[in-house]
C-alpha cells in the first residue's frame, strides 16, 4: 500500500518507465538538477543520468521539434513544457508538425512523444501560467489530449501516454498536485484512453468534468446531497479520444447534465459535449444542458481569479437550476 | 558547430578553375554530379510542362541551385545518413533512394501508401512550414548519437527560412547537444518575391550556417510570376553563372565531355524520367476512406463513426 499525491504519482510513473525502457528520456526546462519547477522530475537525473534527463535551452518550439526527431530516431521522449500556456511558443511544432507527422508521411513515421504540461488556476501564478487551453489541441487531429484528475489516474494515464505510439498531450492539474494522497501501487499499470470514469452515481443530475474541475464537482455533489439532489460525476479523463458512450449513458439515466471546465466558455470542450448530447441523447434530456466555465475574458491577475474560475458555488447553483427545470 | 564563412566558388562562367582553385572531387564523382544536376534540370522542365497542362500539382523547381543540392547530397551515405528536406531538393531525395516515380506520382496527386518513403530510405517528408524541419533534424541527429549510430543528418533551409525562430532555436540546440547535423542554407536570393537584402542585415548567411551562394533561376513555384519583381539583369547574370553550364564547360575543357556525350546523357535521363512518369501515372488514385488512414495507430471510435458517415456504411438509424 503506497500512498502518493498527483506529483509523486507522475514522478513514479516517469521513473518506472525510464527503468523499463532505456530509450525513454525526459527533456525540458529545469527538469534536471532542479527536478522541475514543481519537482515532478525530482531524482530522475541522479538515477538515470544526464543523457536521458536533459535541461534544454529556453525554447519551447525546439523542445517539441527535437522530440519529434528523437522519436523518429527510436528514442521515446517525454517533453515537459513548463506551463501549458507556454505551448503558444511551440504551437506550430505541436498541431502542424507532431500531430500530423504520421499522416504527412503516409504512415512511414510516427511520433511516440509525450508532452507533459502543468496548467490550471487557483495558485496565484503569473500571467500565462494558468491558462486552460486544452481545447486548442482538440482541433489538431493526430494528438491525444489527456487530463488526469487524481493520483491513481495520473500514473496509469501517464504510463499509457509514454507507451502510446502516437503523440499525447498530458495536462497536469497543478492546483491539486499535492492536495491529497491515495493508493497508487508500485509497478506499472495503464489506464486506457477514451474510457471515462463514473466516480459517483446519483439519479438527478450528471456533472461532467476533467482534471481539477472533477474535484470541484465532487465537492458540489456533497453539498447537493444535503439538498436532496443526487448527482452522478463523470470524469472524462481524455478529451481525445472522447468517450461519448459513457457520457451519453450517464446523462440518459439522470436526464440532466452540467458540464464544468476551467477553460473559457465559448469554444471550450463543454460545447462539444453539449452538442454531442443534443444529438445523441436528445430524447433523454429533461432540461437544457448547462455549462459552468471560466468567462470569455483573458485569464486575470491572481487577485481576480476566484471570480473568473468556476467555483463550487457556481456548480451547485447550476445543478440546482437544472434539477428544477 | 562549424560554419564555412568564405565563398566557396571555384569555377568561372567559362568553366575554367579560378586562379589557384582545386576541385576536391574525383572525375567519377564529377561525372555523377553532372548527371544528377542535368536530371534535376530536365525533371524541372517536364514537371513544369505537366503542371501547365493540369497534370501536376504546384511544383517548385531547383533550377540554378542544382550544384548546391547535388553537391551537398553527394557527401552523404544513403545507407546510414539522413536527409531532412524543405521542398526544393527533389533530386537529393532521389539520389538517397526515394524512387522518382513515387515523387512524380505524389506530384500528380496520387498520394497513397504507394508513394510514401520506402522503409530503409533515410529521408523525412518534404516540409512546407519553412524551417519547422530544422528542430526535427536536430532531434533526429541527437537521437542517433544517443544510440551510438554512426550517422549524419543533413537538413535544408533557404535564406527566407533562416529568418524563422525555428532556425535559430534549432541551431542553438544543435550546438548545445553537439548533434551530428549539417544545415545547408541555400541562399537563392529570394523568398518568393522578397529579396535577400530585405531578409537579413547579416553580411553573410554563411555566418549563420554553412552556406552556399546560389541563385534561383526559375520561379518560386508554378503559381509565381517573377517578372513582377525580378530585374531581368539579375537573371541574365545568374544564367551566365549557371552551375550546370559551368561544370559541363569545365569537363569539356578537360576532355571528359563532348556533344555526343551530352546528347547521350540527356537521352538516357529523359528515358529514365519518362519511365518514372509512366509508372507514376499508373499509381493508385486516392480514395475518400483514406482520409482516416494514418491519423493514429488505431482509429478512435469517434473517427470510426465519422469514417462510416463519409462512406455511407453501418448507418445507426
Amino acid at each position: 500500500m503506497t500512498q502518493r499525491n498527483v506529483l509523486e504519482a507522475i514522478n513514479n510513473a516517469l521513473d518506472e518507465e525510464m527503468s523499463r525502457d532505456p530509450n525513454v528520456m525526459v527533456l525540458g526546462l529545469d527538469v534536471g538538477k532542479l527536478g522541475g519547477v514543481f519537482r515532478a522530475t525530482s531524482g530522475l537525473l541522479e538515477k538515470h543520468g544526464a543523457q536521458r534527463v536533459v535541461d534544454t535551452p529556453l525554447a519551447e518550439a525546439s523542445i517539441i521539434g527535437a522530440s519529434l526527431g528523437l522519436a523518429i530516431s527510436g528514442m521515446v521522449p517525454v517533453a515537459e513544457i513548463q506551463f501549458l500556456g507556454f505551448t503558444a511558443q511551440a504551437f506550430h511544432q505541436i498541431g502542424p508538425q507532431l500531430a500530423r507527422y504520421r499522416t504527412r508521411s503516409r504512415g512511414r513515421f510516427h511520433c511516440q512523444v509525450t508532452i507533459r504540461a502543468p496548467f490550471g488556476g487557483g495558485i496565484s501564478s503569473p500571467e500565462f501560467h494558468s491558462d486552460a487551453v486544452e481545447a486548442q489541441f482538440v482541433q489538431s487531429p493526430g494528438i491525444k489530449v489527456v487530463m488526469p484528475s487524481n493520483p491513481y489516474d495520473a500514473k496509469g494515464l501517464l504510463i499509457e501516454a509514454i507507451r502510446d505510439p502516437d503523440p499525447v498531450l498530458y495536462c497536469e492539474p497543478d492546483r491539486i498536485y499535492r492536495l491529497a494522497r491515495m493508493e497508487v501501487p508500485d509497478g506499472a499499470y495503464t489506464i486506457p484512453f477514451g474510457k471515462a470514469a463514473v466516480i459517483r452515481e446519483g439519479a438527478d443530475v450528471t456533472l461532467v468534468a476533467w482534471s481539477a474541475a472533477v474535484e470541484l464537482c465532487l465537492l458540489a455533489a456533497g453539498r447537493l446531497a444535503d439538498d436532496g439532489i443526487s448527482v452522478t460525476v463523470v470524469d472524462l479523463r481524455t478529451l481525445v479520444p472522447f468517450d461519448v458512450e459513457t457520457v451519453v449513458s450517464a446523462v440518459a439515466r439522470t436526464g440532466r447534465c452540467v458540464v464544468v471546465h476551467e477553460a473559457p466558455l465559448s469554444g471550450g470542450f463543454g460545447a462539444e459535449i453539449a452538442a454531442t448530447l443534443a444529438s445523441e441523447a436528445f430524447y433523454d434530456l429533461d432540461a437544457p444542458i448547462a455549462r459552468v466555465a471560466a468567462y470569455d475574458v483573458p485569464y486575470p491577475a491572481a487577485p481576480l481569479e476566484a471570480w473568473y474560475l468556476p467555483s463550487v458555488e457556481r456548480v451547485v447553483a447550476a445543478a440546482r437550476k437544472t434539477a428544477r427545470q | 558547430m562549424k560554419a564555412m564563412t568564405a565563398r566557396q566558388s571555384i569555377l568561372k562562367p567559362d568553366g575554367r578553375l579560378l586562379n589557384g582553385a582545386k576541385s576536391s572531387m574525383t572525375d567519377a564523382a564529377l561525372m555523377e554530379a553532372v548527371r544528377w544536376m542535368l536530371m534535376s534540370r530536365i525533371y524541372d522542365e517536364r514537371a513544369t510542362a505537366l503542371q501547365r497542362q493540369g497534370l501536376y500539382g504546384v511544383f517548385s523547381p531547383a533550377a540554378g541551385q542544382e550544384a548546391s543540392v547535388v553537391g551537398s547530397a553527394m557527401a552523404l551515405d544513403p545507407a546510414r545518413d539522413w536527409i531532412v528536406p524543405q521542398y526544393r531538393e527533389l533530386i537529393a531525395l532521389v539520389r538517397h533512394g526515394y524512387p522518382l516515380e513515387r515523387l512524380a506520382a505524389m506530384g500528380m496527386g496520387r498520394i497513397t501508401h504507394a508513394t510514401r518513403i520506402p522503409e530503409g530510405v533515410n529521408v523525412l517528408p518534404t516540409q512546407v512550414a519553412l524551417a519547422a524541419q530544422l528542430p526535427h533534424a536536430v532531434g533526429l541527429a541527437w537521437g542517433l548519437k544517443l544510440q551510438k549510430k554512426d550517422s549524419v543528418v543533413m537538413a535544408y533551409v533557404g535564406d527566407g527560412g533562416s529568418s524563422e525562430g525555428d532556425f535559430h532555436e534549432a541551431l542553438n540546440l544543435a550546438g548545445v547537444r553537439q548533434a551530428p547535423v549539417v544545415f545547408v542554407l541555400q541562399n537563392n536570393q529570394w523568398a518568393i518575391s522578397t529579396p535577400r537584402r530585405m531578409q537579413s542585415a547579416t553580411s553573410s548567411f554563411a555566418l549563420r550556417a554553412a552556406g552556399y551562394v546560389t541563385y534561383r533561376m526559375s520561379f518560386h513555384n508554378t503559381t509565381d510570376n517573377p517578372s513582377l519583381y525580378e530585374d531581368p539583369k539579375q537573371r541574365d547574370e545568374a544564367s551566365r553563372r549557371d552551375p550546370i553550364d559551368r561544370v559541363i564547360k569545365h569537363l569539356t575543357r578537360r576532355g571528359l565531355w563532348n556533344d555526343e556525350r551530352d546528347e547521350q546523357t540527356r537521352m538516357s535521363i529523359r528515358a529514365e524520367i519518362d519511365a518514372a512518369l509512366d509508372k507514376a501515372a499508373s499509381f493508385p488514385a486516392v480514395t475518400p476512406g483514406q482520409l482516416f488512414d494514418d491519423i493514429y495507430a488505431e482509429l478512435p471510435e469517434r473517427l470510426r463513426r465519422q469514417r462510416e458517415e463519409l462512406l455511407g456504411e453501418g448507418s445507426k438509424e
Side-chain angles (χ1 to χ4, degrees):
Chain A
M1 299 286 274
T2 310
Q3 300 283 313
R4 292 185 166 95
N5 60 28
V6 169
L7 204 53
E8 291 159 347
I10 288 167
N11 183 267
N12 175 239
L14 291 170
D15 181 31
E16 288 188 1
E17 285 303 279
M18 293 187 82
S19 302
R20 178 189 63 85
D21 179 351
N23 287 333
V24 175
M25 62 185 289
V26 166
L27 67 160
L29 305 182
D30 309 305
V31 297
K33 199 165 182 188
L34 181 65
V37 290
F38 289 104
R39 313 292 178 264
T41 54
S42 183
L44 298 180
L45 173 69
E46 293 73 12
K47 186 164 174 189
H48 301 287
Q51 297 293 308
R52 296 175 62 205
V53 182
V54 181
D55 284 320
T56 63
L58 205 169
E60 285 82 2
S62 72
I63 294 171
I64 305 302
S67 294
L68 185 158
L70 283 161
I72 287 173
S73 84
M75 301 302 291
V76 181
V78 182
E80 178 176 310
I81 297 295
Q82 208 157 62
F83 290 89
L84 185 66
F86 291 105
T87 55
Q89 313 289 95
F91 192 85
H92 65 286
Q93 283 289 349
I94 303 173
Q97 299 297 328
L98 193 63
R100 296 169 81 123
Y101 223 75
R102 183 188 282 276
T103 311
R104 183 179 305 140
S105 68
R106 294 281 127 212
R108 164 70 202 276
F109 300 110
H110 64 272
C111 300
Q112 188 166 347
V113 174
T114 303
I115 303 172
R116 293 180 38 248
F119 85 109
I123 59 168
S124 302
S125 47
E127 194 173 13
F128 307 127
H129 290 60
S130 304
D131 297 39
V133 295
E134 66 270 21
Q136 293 179 0
F137 298 92
V138 175
Q139 286 270 304
S140 296
I143 192 165
K144 296 175 181 174
V145 180
V146 178
M147 314 292 298
S149 71
N150 64 68
Y152 183 86
D153 285 7
K155 178 172 177 179
L157 290 169
L158 182 53
I159 294 176
E160 179 79 0
I162 293 168
R163 295 180 185 182
D164 194 296
D166 288 307
V168 176
L169 176 67
Y170 177 94
C171 301
E172 301 176 359
D174 54 32
R175 183 167 61 81
I176 59 168
Y177 262 155
R178 296 183 174 88
L179 184 73
R181 288 193 166 84
M182 65 189 283
E183 201 203 332
V184 176
D186 293 328
Y189 62 92
T190 57
I191 295 173
F193 294 160
K195 300 282 178 209
V198 179
I199 51 177
R200 182 180 170 122
E201 286 200 76
D204 302 325
V205 180
T206 299
L207 305 180
V208 181
W210 52 92
S211 196
V214 171
E215 190 240 344
L216 215 57
C217 291
L218 289 173
L219 293 171
R223 292 222 207 143
L224 289 160
D226 298 341
D227 298 349
I229 298 172
S230 128
V231 165
T232 290
V233 177
V234 177
D235 176 357
L236 218 46
R237 283 178 169 157
T238 62
L239 305 189
V240 180
F242 171 26
D243 182 359
V244 175
E245 198 186 336
T246 299
V247 175
V248 166
S249 66
V251 173
R253 286 194 296 275
T254 58
R256 298 165 202 277
C257 179
V258 179
V259 185
V260 183
H261 59 65
E262 279 196 31
L265 181 76
S266 297
F269 197 73
E272 186 59 42
I273 295 170
T276 302
L277 287 169
S279 71
E280 311 258 333
F282 185 75
Y283 297 105
D284 293 313
L285 288 172
D286 298 319
I289 299 156
R291 287 184 286 161
V292 178
Y295 299 110
D296 290 335
V297 300
Y299 200 99
L304 284 163
E305 65 182 341
W307 288 280
Y308 167 83
L309 289 169
S311 59
V312 176
E313 290 71 25
R314 283 173 63 197
V315 176
V316 168
R320 279 187 188 142
K321 187 178 171 195
T322 302
R324 281 198 302 269
Q325 282 173 324
Chain B
M1 213 171 15
K2 282 174 285 194
M4 288 198 307
T5 49
R7 180 166 167 149
Q8 302 284 317
S9 181
I10 59 167
L11 270 189
K12 293 184 192 174
D14 63 6
R16 280 185 298 179
L17 289 166
L18 288 160
N19 286 344
K22 268 190 196 154
S23 169
S24 58
M25 291 176 81
T26 64
D27 289 348
L30 257 179
M31 298 298 274
E32 186 195 335
V34 77
R35 193 177 189 284
W36 286 121
M37 289 165 69
L38 276 168
M39 192 167 181
S40 178
R41 184 71 59 92
I42 294 170
Y43 189 80
D44 277 0
E45 293 162 6
R46 290 299 305 276
T48 302
L50 288 169
Q51 193 278 335
R52 300 305 187 213
Q53 296 166 54
L55 300 172
Y56 205 100
V58 173
F59 178 74
S60 295
Q65 301 175 220
E66 294 93 341
S68 64
V69 174
V70 170
S72 54
M74 280 181 63
L76 300 176
D77 173 2
R80 57 180 173 155
D81 299 328
W82 285 75
I83 291 183
V84 179
Q86 198 160 275
Y87 54 69
R88 212 184 286 279
E89 298 84 21
L90 176 137
I91 208 68
L93 307 184
V94 175
R95 182 194 173 266
H96 221 69
Y98 199 162
L100 181 60
E101 62 264 25
R102 293 196 186 204
L103 290 156
M106 278 202 288
M108 295 172 174
R110 296 174 179 274
I111 303 167
T112 70
H113 283 163
T115 56
R116 76 179 175 190
I117 301 160
E119 285 299 324
V121 174
N122 299 333
V123 161
L124 296 195
T126 53
Q127 178 63 251
V128 173
L130 297 181
Q133 72 277 16
L134 302 181
H136 309 165
V138 176
L140 176 58
W142 176 9
L144 292 166
K145 183 183 169 189
L146 283 172
Q147 293 164 79
K148 308 208 183 324
K149 292 184 180 158
D150 185 19
S151 305
V152 163
V153 177
M154 189 169 278
Y156 290 87
V157 68
D159 42 325
S162 76
S163 296
E164 293 276 7
D166 274 354
F167 175 89
H168 299 277
E169 291 195 21
L171 264 66
N172 184 52
L173 183 62
V176 171
R177 301 314 313 175
Q178 291 292 294
V181 56
V182 179
F183 298 97
V184 181
L185 194 165
Q186 296 194 76
N187 169 16
N188 73 5
Q189 321 286 336
W190 294 109
I192 305 189
S193 69
T194 306
R196 177 251 175 274
R197 71 186 151 76
M198 294 178 74
Q199 202 60 246
S200 171
T202 185
S203 59
S204 167
F205 284 107
L207 297 172
R208 291 187 168 176
Y212 291 80
V213 178
T214 178
Y215 190 87
R216 192 190 79 204
M217 287 172 54
S218 185
F219 34 78
H220 162 65
N221 66 30
T222 44
T223 67
D224 180 31
N225 178 7
S227 69
L228 296 175
Y229 54 81
E230 185 184 33
D231 181 345
K233 283 186 207 149
Q234 287 176 286
R235 179 71 69 91
D236 292 347
E237 171 56 21
S239 298
R240 208 173 65 82
R241 301 183 54 83
D242 184 320
I244 298 181
D245 284 354
R246 276 192 285 162
V247 175
I248 286 180
K249 283 175 184 165
H250 172 75
L251 292 171
T252 304
R253 283 178 183 280
R254 295 183 45 208
L256 295 165
W257 200 265
N258 55 34
D259 288 350
E260 191 189 343
R261 176 137 213 165
D262 193 86
E263 187 53 32
Q264 274 175 3
T265 307
R266 288 173 195 266
M267 270 177 58
S268 83
I269 289 170
R270 287 202 179 92
E272 205 176 311
I273 291 175
D274 282 345
L277 290 171
D278 278 354
K279 275 195 209 166
S282 62
F283 267 58
V286 297
T287 51
Q290 134 188 6
L291 270 180
F292 292 88
D293 291 348
D294 307 316
I295 314 297
Y296 299 99
E298 277 180 55
L299 202 61
E301 172 64 18
R302 204 159 211 235
L303 271 77
R304 214 171 50 73
R305 285 222 239 155
Q306 291 175 14
R307 186 178 188 279
E308 284 170 1
E309 183 189 311
L310 170 73
L311 300 178
E313 295 166 354
S315 169
K316 290 195 321 119
E317 307 306 323

